[in-house]
Amino acid sequence: MPEHTRSSITIDATPAEVMAVIADFAAYPAWTGEVKEIEVLETAEDGRAAQVRLLLDAGAIRDEHVLAYTWDGDREVSWTLVRSQMLRSLDGSYVLAPAKTGTEVTYQLAVDVKIPMLGMIKRKAEKVIIDRALAGLKKRVES
């Protein structure tokens, strides 16, 4: 991955329980905030999504993009951008590891937009996206 932003959180659940929530794309609009529509376009042999279309609406930013997903059991899921109106690239991953009190989830994200943007502003935006996603994931899994 190119320059990226990373953050971690511990969730009081097993890796399988956390990954089940991550893999449940139909529920994303209920807990992610920015995702307004989602459609699984292609499914892998293991039954998990291989390609997903997402419609995002974050106020001033509205975009539709398609992501390709790669799954490694309940240990890791990574994604890369297939197409987007506003993004040049988007690479990310959730890495799950057993912890003393549940599962440590590490989210890594690298985004490149088609419009010029300072690196530090881009990293700050990535940090906001990651922190919101991890907090939403924790709340969803633990509820």
Side-chain angles (χ1 to χ4, degrees):
M1 259 187 224
E3 214 177 312
H4 63 270
T5 303
R6 176 190 324 223
S7 192
S8 297
I9 195 168
T10 300
I11 297 177
D12 187 18
T14 66
E17 291 168 329
V18 175
M19 194 59 85
V21 171
I22 293 170
D24 183 10
F25 288 101
Y28 275 38
W31 66 269
T32 62
E34 292 85 17
V35 176
K36 301 304 178 192
E37 281 181 31
I38 198 145
E39 178 185 7
V40 174
L41 302 174
E42 189 178 310
T43 305
E45 288 180 17
D46 66 1
R48 288 182 167 163
Q51 204 168 93
V52 178
R53 181 187 65 81
L54 300 100
L55 176 63
L56 304 176
D57 190 349
I61 299 174
R62 184 176 166 91
D63 190 24
E64 177 178 292
H65 52 259
V66 175
L67 301 176
Y69 287 83
T70 303
W71 303 85
D72 181 9
D74 292 330
R75 293 171 297 282
E76 181 177 0
V77 58
S78 59
W79 57 91
T80 189
L81 184 68
V82 174
R83 68 178 177 271
S84 168
Q85 297 168 353
M86 297 182 71
L87 303 178
R88 185 174 290 119
S89 68
L90 186 151
D91 296 304
S93 67
Y94 282 111
V95 177
L96 282 55
K100 288 181 183 178
T101 59
T103 301
E104 182 181 37
V105 180
T106 301
Y107 185 168
Q108 182 171 293
L109 185 65
V111 178
D112 190 15
V113 292
K114 291 181 180 176
I115 58 170
M117 185 180 288
L118 290 173
M120 69 180 208
I121 294 172
K122 198 174 355 173
R123 299 288 91 74
K124 185 170 176 73
E126 289 172 354
K127 178 81 170 128
V128 169
I129 291 167
I130 288 171
D131 289 348
R132 243 192 245 154
L134 287 173
L137 179 62
K138 180 177 177 70
K139 184 177 180 183
R140 179 75 176 189
V141 172
E142 292 179 354
S143 65

